[in-house]
Structures are given as structure tokens and as C-alpha cells.
Amino acid sequence: MTARTSGSAPAGPGRRDTRQRRLLRDQLSRQEAFVSAQQMYDDLRASGDRVGLATVYRTLQAMTEAGELDVLRSDDGEVLYRQCGPQHHHHLVCRSCGVTVEVDGPAVEKWAAKAGEAHGFTEVTHVVELFGLCAACSRASR
Amino acid sequence: MTARTSGSAPAGPGRRDTRQRRLLRDQLSRQEAFVSAQQMYDDLRASGDRVGLATVYRTLQAMTEAGELDVLRSDDGEVLYRQCGPQHHHHLVCRSCGVTVEVDGPAVEKWAAKAGEAHGFTEVTHVVELFGLCAACSRASR
DNA sequence: CCTTGTAACGAGAATCGTTCTCAATAGTAG
DNA sequence: CTACTATTGAGAACGATTCTCGTTACAAGG
């Protein structure tokens, strides 16, 4: 029997610092927009870094569970990820270029809670996302 | 050459009254909750009615484009459909049984428009859905 | 009714995003 | 340096949805 006798380091899953995790974290922190796992994969290998597709999916999923990423689903069913602030907020996403702005809406929170209550619902959560054309894209399409 | 000479009846695609379309319309009008194409398919054949899966998908899609159905995406990626009123509204969906209540929120509409504007976005639309446990399910899980 | 043109069907193949499998690899604590 | 095991990655497996294409059956005209 070796190792696994000291009880100090929390040596569970999800904490090793690997090359591929570093790459993903870096790329996410440079991203302004929501991106899909497939996109991340393509971008990485486009810049010469070799990372398995399964790893991209696994890591993105893990980071989401750890609360490090926000998730969104595109109209055609792809799951999109983005590094966001920790406080509760919503997104204003550009339909054209994907740029995203975090916005908050105290009014919405209250309305959601009240509407749920009014119908006898409990444990009410809400999904609120705004889509539009950002200033730049609006100008470009004019 | 026969037919296709009179110019009165709008005999284009999407208007034939078939057995399968009747079945789907009927089933949808009896549904209180959002349901997936797969569920509709299973339910139909469970009640002895034979309808092709592709037809279910096609019809549901067509009805949606015609504005007869509202669409929602479940957490695991399935597209869910429901027959709803024509006016703009949002949904309060039970996480457990799927029952859905249509709710409106003038406050949200205003907030959304304003938030978009404030950041220079144009053509802003919003996605707002509420999830919770309906009265019955809340009671059951207590 | 019967004919006809063609919208609609349906079975099965094809897509596509995502997840799973499992042997090989590589952090890391001691 | 070594052993332990978390991670990785290639490819198979999945599940929802879409496409293909020969067959079926509305529905308008005769």
C-alpha cells in the first residue's frame, strides 16, 4: 500500500492542472462572446494546440458545474459557454456577432417570484435572455 | 393537362386535411403541458394510431411556423411544443409534471426594451420562461 | 364516381451535437 | 524516482432531428 494515507490534500477528481485545461481557461478568458464546444475545439487546433474533443466537452461541463461558466442554448440546439461574473445576471446577446453584455434586472426578479407565487408554484426559477443587434452590427447592416 | 387551371382555391402546400394532421391537432388541444415530438409519437402509437415519426416532426414544425404552437427547449435539448393563445405571453412551467400556465408581464417587456437600448442594441427580442413546482407537485413532494 | 396532379406520408439512411469506453498518459504526493 | 489514479483521446455509441425517395391518398375537374 502506498499513498492515500495522509489526509491533508483534497486529492479528489477535478483538480489536476493539465495543459488542456489551461488552454481552455485561457481561451475562455479572452472571449467576449458565447461559444460552443465545437468552436473551442476548432479554434484550439487552428492555433496548433492539440486537445481531444471529448476533453473539451468534459472540461466545459465541469467548469459549468463549478459555476465558472454561464450556459446558453443557440437556436439550432448547440450549447454555448461564456465566462461571466459570479453575481446573478442576465445576458444581452448580439444575434449577429455574439458579443454579450451582462445586465441585471431587479424588476424582473421580483416579477418572476410574484408571478410564480400567484399561481401556487414554489421553487420558481427563471430564464431571461435578451437578443438583438449590437451597435456595431446595427450600423453595419444599415 | 388537367386541374391547376382555376385560380380560386389556394392549393399550395400545407393545407391538405390528412388523418395524421387531425390526430396531432387533436392530441395537442388535449395537452396542458409542453410535449416533445418523440412523446407525441409514442402517445399516438400507444393509442393504436399509426403515424410516421418524420410526419410528427414535419407537422409540428409546420404548425410552429404557422404560429399555432409555442416552442420551448428542455434542459436535455429536446424541443417541446404546446398549443397557446395568440397574444404575446410567457410560460410558468412545472418542472415535475410539465403543466403550464400562460402569464404576461408588461414590466418585463418594458425592462427588456430599455436594457437593450441602453447598450446601443437594436431589434431586441427576449426569451423569458419561469420554472417551478406547481401546487399539486409541491404538495406531493412534501 | 373516376381520373389526375401533387401534397403528404413513412421507413430507413444520414446528420450532428454530445456522451461513453477503455487503454495509454501524465500530474503529484511521498 | 515511484506508485497511484485523475485525465486524456480516438473512436464507437447515442439520441434527437432531418433528409431521401418511392408510395399513398387528398381534392378538384370532368
Side-chain angles (χ1 to χ4, degrees), chain A residues 6 16-17 37-38 53-54 57-58 61 77-79:
Chain A
S6 71
R16 279 191 188 169
D17 185 31
Q38 304 277 355
L53 182 59
Y57 274 98
R58 267 189 302 238
Q61 234 172 233
E78 264 187 326
V79 177

Side-chain angles (χ1 to χ4, degrees), chain B residues 52-101:
Chain B
L53 182 58
T55 299
V56 175
Y57 274 99
R58 266 189 304 238
T59 305
L60 252 25
Q61 234 172 233
M63 291 179 75
T64 300
E65 272 162 28
E68 297 167 40
L69 299 180
D70 273 10
V71 176
L72 207 58
R73 204 177 280 268
S74 76
D75 286 325
D76 54 313
E78 264 188 329
V79 176
L80 308 177
Y81 302 88
R82 180 172 188 275
Q83 208 168 44
C84 283
Q87 355 63 29
H88 177 76
H89 62 266
H90 298 292
H91 302 111
L92 173 54
V93 187
C94 177
R95 247 191 304 278
S96 173
C97 69
V99 190
T100 298
V101 180

Side-chain angles (χ1 to χ4, degrees), chain A residues 17-31 35-45 47 49-63 68-69 81-83:
Chain A
D17 185 31
T18 68
R19 176 181 61 86
Q20 17 295 75
R21 285 181 189 174
R22 257 186 310 265
L23 285 169
L24 281 169
R25 261 201 303 280
D26 284 9
Q27 189 162 337
L28 279 166
S29 62
R30 275 190 260 97
Q31 270 292 341
V35 289
S36 70
Q38 304 277 355
Q39 279 171 57
M40 294 242 83
Y41 176 71
D42 292 343
D43 291 356
L44 282 176
R45 67 168 27 208
S47 54
D49 300 307
R50 193 153 284 281
V51 175
L53 182 59
T55 300
V56 175
Y57 274 98
R58 267 189 302 238
T59 305
L60 252 24
Q61 234 172 233
M63 291 179 76
E68 297 167 40
L69 300 179
Y81 301 88
R82 180 172 189 274
Q83 208 169 44

